[in-house]
Amino acid sequence: MLPHRAPRKKGRVEIIPMIDVMLFLLVFFIMITLQMITDKGLKLNLPTSSQAKMLPHPHYLVNILTDGSVVVKGKPMDLAALQQMLAGDGDVSKTDVTIAAAQKVPFQDFVHVMDSCQKAGVTNIGIATKASA
């Protein structure tokens, strides 16, 4: 008498765990891509310094438009509001600010923004330029 064999089960590909893995990969890809977006800058012949460092991704990117208005995170604000926002950020000594000015912004407007940042207690200030269209 021949032994009775149980019918062989076909292998199945579970689709739900694959979807979960793909969503996790997509989320990680988006998060890493957002951190890799850098601000464009100008290549300048600057003096050398033993303390020179690469600028980190700033907590705040302060844009100065041609008319002298200041925009932070898409919101226009005056210099007093900028100073108040930066001062209320918690530990201001660890706050990184990058100032990006339009090409034809008067230097005096740039100095006013830098002065507001320093009055708020920010010491980590970087300078960038806006990418031209």
Side-chain angles (χ1 to χ4, degrees), residues 48-68:
T48 58
S49 170
S50 62
Q51 300 298 315
K53 297 177 184 173
M54 293 290 292
L55 290 177
H57 191 72
H59 292 117
Y60 295 102
L61 178 62
V62 180
N63 294 304
I64 308 172
L65 304 180
T66 308
D67 62 355

Side-chain angles (χ1 to χ4, degrees), residues 39 46 51-64 82-83 86-87 92-101 107 109-129:
D39 298 318
L46 299 174
Q51 300 298 315
K53 297 177 184 173
M54 293 290 292
L55 290 177
H57 191 72
H59 292 117
Y60 295 102
L61 178 62
V62 180
N63 294 304
I64 308 172
L82 173 67
Q83 182 178 342
L86 293 174
V92 194
S93 64
K94 295 183 180 176
T95 300
D96 295 323
V97 173
T98 298
I99 301 172
F107 188 66
D109 292 338
F110 178 81
V111 171
H112 287 310
V113 170
M114 186 174 279
D115 189 42
S116 294
C117 294
Q118 288 178 335
K119 283 181 184 175
V122 176
T123 56
N124 299 327
I125 301 174
I127 302 169
T129 61

Side-chain angles (χ1 to χ4, degrees), residues 8 22 26 43 67 77 105 112 126:
R8 232 174 166 194
M22 293 305 290
L26 180 64
K43 185 172 179 149
D67 62 355
M77 59 177 56
V105 169
H112 287 310

Side-chain angles (χ1 to χ4, degrees), residues 62-91:
V62 180
N63 294 304
I64 308 172
L65 304 180
T66 308
D67 62 355
S69 60
V70 176
V71 178
V72 180
K73 295 187 178 184
K75 297 178 185 175
M77 59 177 56
D78 61 353
L79 296 176
L82 173 67
Q83 182 178 342
Q84 183 179 8
M85 179 189 71
L86 293 174
D89 188 40
D91 189 4

